[in-house]
Amino acid sequence: MKGSRITNFLSLSREHPWELAPFSEPLAGGGTVSAWDTGVLCFEPASPGNKDIVISCGIHGNETAPIELCEQLLRDLVEGRLSCGHRLLLIFGHPAAMNQGVRELEVNLNRLFSGAHERGENGGRERQRAGRLEQYVGRFFGQRTDTERLHYDLHTAIRPSKYEKFAIYPYTHGQPYSRRQLAFLRDCEVDTILLAHGPTTTFSYFSAHRFGAHAFTVELGKVMPFGQNDMGRFSAVDHCLRQLVSEPEWAPAPLEPGQIRVFKVCREIIKQSDAFHFHFGKDVANFTAFEPGELLAEDAEHSWRVGDQSEAVVFPNPAVAKGQRAALMVLDYSLSGAELD
């Protein structure tokens, strides 16, 4: 398989960043691997297990560590060094932004799902890309109805984090949180969980809400250029993803109390105008805590202060477009047994 188009699929996708004609090749061990479009690969083993797994990366083009991790996973599956035990959809989200080394070209791709790509005027090609990615995930999950559906959307953050690796658990609409999935994330050394407080237009929420998937936005560290990532820092998540994909009977050890740290979103700070600015420095890390009453940000006619209890900030980014989320504010939270399945 060395030298095949699938083996070099990331390079091929970057050469054709917006569209690629479909093609297929045999999969080592039996079955097929099919390119559905640029950056979209479907692995169909001859005897798939009971999981349908989506792993996505590069939804933001400058978040390179997950891209490099997924490219090596792809090569090992195609070249037979790793068996494929489940159906797998592998997505390299934004090849055009990868080519320019930027987060986005005009619009944040991870704010365009659940139909948001149909609203707005700028960023036409990114909106088209989001719509097509929705279709491919729907096509993948729609081929079977009696399987466990999983989606791990891998990212790295703009800023460093007090807790380096963390995951956003999409809003569940009252459904319990998965104890087994929290155990899986713990084994990935993703031991900090942020519970979303409502529907969003992210890729992971789309899969969770539309298809009932266990889906997560997984933050694996800080943004670095291609070739400058210490891949040893991702060895645990790499190992767990490989076990999940290749071993149909593999499962994480049971979750024990105290093994994960949980926060819950209490509010969003939305940028209203070009006058928006934070009252803390650019070096403030994710999950930095602020005391009650502290001034967080100001805009032309708005200001944001901490409420009656300490709050921590996540994803502060004053450079977002007007009307977009400039930060999440979160509170410490303890999951009760009644909230877990």
Side-chain angles (χ1 to χ4, degrees):
M1 287 285 185
K2 289 187 176 181
S4 73
R5 298 177 76 196
I6 294 291
T7 303
N8 299 304
F9 184 68
L10 179 58
S11 296
L12 183 64
S13 294
R14 294 181 66 176
E15 291 170 6
H16 302 84
W18 293 112
E19 190 169 358
L20 184 66
F23 64 94
S24 298
E25 293 181 5
L27 180 62
T32 59
V33 54
S34 302
W36 286 358
D37 197 349
T38 188
V40 182
L41 274 181
C42 182
F43 291 80
E44 295 273 7
S47 300
N50 65 348
K51 294 180 175 64
D52 290 334
I53 304 167
V54 177
I55 302 175
S56 54
C57 64
I59 294 298
H60 298 135
N62 63 343
E63 298 178 5
T64 61
I67 298 169
E68 293 177 351
L69 185 154
C70 287
E71 183 182 27
Q72 190 57 56
L73 176 66
L74 178 163
R75 288 176 176 269
D76 288 349
L77 285 168
V78 171
E79 295 176 1
R81 290 186 293 272
L82 184 70
S83 63
C84 190
H86 298 285
R87 295 180 67 244
L88 170 67
L89 188 67
L90 191 59
I91 296 174
F92 299 90
H94 202 334
M98 293 178 206
N99 288 344
Q100 296 190 30
V102 296
R103 180 178 172 85
E104 64 212 46
L105 300 184
E106 294 183 68
V107 189
N108 182 349
L109 187 59
N110 207 30
R111 297 294 178 273
L112 294 178
F113 294 98
S114 295
H117 55 86
E118 298 172 351
R119 305 184 292 273
E121 298 179 357
N122 61 328
R125 300 197 87 173
E126 281 159 311
R127 292 181 184 279
Q128 292 172 13
R129 179 66 171 167
R132 287 162 76 174
L133 292 181
E134 285 188 352
Q135 292 173 16
Y136 297 136
V137 170
R139 173 180 168 185
F140 179 73
F141 283 142
Q143 290 180 14
R144 299 199 294 180
T145 59
D146 57 348
T147 59
E148 182 179 31
R149 296 171 173 176
L150 306 172
H151 182 182
Y152 305 103
D153 185 30
L154 308 182
H155 289 256
T156 50
I158 296 172
R159 296 186 183 222
S161 296
K162 183 178 178 182
Y163 312 114
E164 182 183 55
K165 298 179 179 67
F166 61 98
I168 296 89
Y169 205 131
Y171 186 58
T172 65
H173 295 267
Q175 296 300 306
Y177 300 102
S178 170
R179 193 185 301 266
R180 181 165 170 165
Q181 287 300 304
L182 294 175
F184 174 78
L185 292 168
R186 172 213 59 203
D187 284 0
C188 291
E189 296 184 350
V190 179
D191 59 0
T192 299
I193 307 298
L194 180 55
L195 307 178
H197 67 314
T200 64
T201 53
T202 62
F203 202 9
S204 61
Y205 174 79
F206 167 74
S207 291
H209 183 56
R210 177 66 180 81
F211 301 105
H214 294 297
F216 302 86
T217 303
V218 184
E219 300 284 348
L220 296 176
K222 191 177 183 300
V223 166
M224 297 292 288
F226 279 113
Q228 295 185 28
N229 296 290
D230 177 2
M231 298 308 290
R233 303 184 76 88
F234 313 104
S235 58
V237 66
D238 181 53
H239 171 77
C240 289
L241 288 174
R242 287 167 177 267
Q243 290 290 101
L244 178 69
V245 167
S246 65
E247 299 292 338
E249 303 304 321
W250 180 82
L255 185 71
E256 300 294 338
Q259 290 184 322
I260 57 169
R261 182 186 299 107
V262 181
F263 292 87
K264 193 166 189 175
V265 174
C266 60
R267 57 181 170 144
E268 297 183 347
I269 293 177
I270 305 297
K271 181 176 179 177
Q272 304 292 332
S273 76
D274 291 335
F276 179 90
H277 62 282
F278 287 119
H279 276 264
F280 51 80
K282 295 180 179 179
D283 59 344
V284 166
N286 288 316
F287 296 101
T288 295
F290 295 87
E291 295 305 309
E294 279 194 72
L295 181 63
L296 297 167
E298 288 185 297
D299 215 326
E301 299 178 357
H302 300 81
S303 63
W304 292 264
R305 291 183 180 274
V306 180
D308 295 336
Q309 56 183 311
S310 178
E311 300 174 16
V313 67
V314 182
F315 300 136
N317 182 8
V320 298
K322 287 182 286 186
Q324 293 287 317
R325 184 195 74 200
L328 289 174
M329 302 307 298
V330 305
L331 302 171
D332 286 308
Y333 189 77
S334 295
L335 278 170
S336 68
E339 295 177 281
L340 295 167
D341 68 5

